[in-house]
């Protein structure tokens, strides 16, 4: 019996599974901020194609990361109000650094830094953490949950006929993108 046994093994060891989810999450998050002129740019930002079982296991992993980024957003705004606009190592900046205002800023910045470090420990990628805490957090600021969706594809994977799915971020920018070629051929 599998009472209270959570998650799929996916035919991998725990370390392999953890590394796989980390890599897939980084790919999904980094695909949000793309340069269209880049040679390896994805066709559809904020979307990856994988098997259905992997997508179902990856979804909670990514949603927890987005929730951490959302929690950090108002804290970061409070800390930014306390920061100085003086150039670093200038006389004005040194005076601010020695004052009580710096201590207030430091206390306000600490929870944001802790959340970013937690996200980095899960992703191990600086660019992905930056995209997560700037672009994705602002995008889902007013949304209480359900940041991703899974769309099952009709065409199985070539080679082993594994069921495929698209894991993507929800929102106005994704819904405006054209349908993937796999979905167009399945509808006709």
């Amino acid at each position: 019996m599998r009472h209270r046994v959570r998650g799929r093994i996916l035919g991998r060891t725990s370390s392999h599974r953890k590394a796989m989810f980390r890599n897939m999450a980084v790919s999904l998050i980094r695909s949000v901020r793309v340069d269209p002129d880049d040679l390896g740019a994805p066709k559809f930002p904020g979307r990856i194609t994988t098997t259905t079982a992997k997508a179902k296991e990856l979804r909670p992993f990514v949603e927890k990361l987005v929730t951490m980024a959302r929690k950090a957003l108002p804290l970061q705004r409070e800390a930014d109000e306390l920061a100085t606009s003086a150039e670093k190592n200038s006389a004005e900046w040194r005076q601010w650094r020695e004052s009580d205002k710096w201590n207030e800023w430091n206390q306000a910045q600490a929870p944001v830094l802790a959340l970013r470090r937690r996200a980095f420990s899960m992703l191990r990628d600086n660019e992905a953490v930056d995209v997560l805490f700037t672009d994705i957090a602002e995008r889902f600021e007013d949304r209480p949950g359900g940041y991703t969706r899974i769309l099952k594809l009709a065409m199985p994977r070539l080679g082993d006929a594994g069921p495929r799915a698209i894991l993507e971020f929800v929102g106005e920018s994704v819904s405006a993108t054209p349908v993937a070629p796999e979905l167009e051929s399945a509808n006709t």
Side-chain angles (χ1 to χ4, degrees):
M1 286 186 263
R2 290 183 46 91
H3 295 303
R4 299 179 67 165
V5 177
R6 194 178 140 259
R8 293 170 177 84
I9 304 298
L10 301 174
R12 290 163 171 81
T13 63
S14 61
S15 60
H16 185 182
R17 206 170 36 251
K18 184 177 178 182
M20 180 184 64
F21 288 145
R22 175 180 290 157
N23 290 333
M24 290 172 67
V26 166
S27 296
L28 178 64
I29 291 168
R30 287 178 82 174
S31 73
V32 170
R33 186 192 295 169
V34 292
D35 181 20
D37 299 331
D38 188 20
L39 184 62
K43 292 180 188 175
F44 306 101
R47 175 187 288 187
I48 60 169
T49 303
T50 182
T51 63
T52 305
K54 287 180 192 174
K56 287 180 179 180
E57 286 298 308
L58 181 62
R59 185 178 188 174
F61 185 83
V62 172
E63 297 221 357
K64 287 173 188 166
L65 288 166
V66 175
T67 301
M68 286 181 357
R70 273 190 61 237
K71 286 181 181 179
L73 197 58
L75 299 171
Q76 182 66 51
R77 288 187 181 135
E78 290 175 16
D80 289 344
E81 290 175 6
L82 298 170
T84 183
S85 59
E87 188 174 326
K88 193 170 184 175
N89 291 329
S90 66
E92 184 183 345
W93 182 85
R94 286 189 193 115
Q95 184 181 6
W96 172 77
R97 179 73 166 82
E98 299 296 326
S99 69
D100 289 336
K101 291 182 181 181
W102 181 83
N103 286 328
E104 291 176 28
W105 173 82
N106 194 20
Q107 293 298 316
Q109 187 72 18
V112 177
L113 186 59
L115 287 168
R116 288 182 78 98
R117 285 177 175 166
R118 278 184 54 202
F120 181 78
S121 73
M122 293 174 74
L123 293 175
R124 308 304 290 174
D125 188 272
N126 284 321
E127 184 182 344
V129 171
D130 186 48
V131 171
L132 181 67
F133 279 78
T134 55
D135 301 344
I136 296 174
E138 290 176 5
R139 182 168 157 187
F140 295 119
E141 182 177 7
D142 299 327
R143 190 178 182 100
Y147 314 112
T148 59
R149 71 172 145 232
I150 298 173
L151 303 171
K152 294 183 181 178
L153 296 175
M155 299 293 293
R157 185 167 58 188
L158 292 177
D160 65 351
R164 293 188 311 158
I166 292 174
L167 180 67
E168 67 181 7
F169 288 111
V170 299
E172 66 280 345
S173 63
V174 174
S175 61
T177 59
V179 177
E182 299 95 18
L183 295 175
E184 285 180 6
S185 62
N187 291 336
T188 57

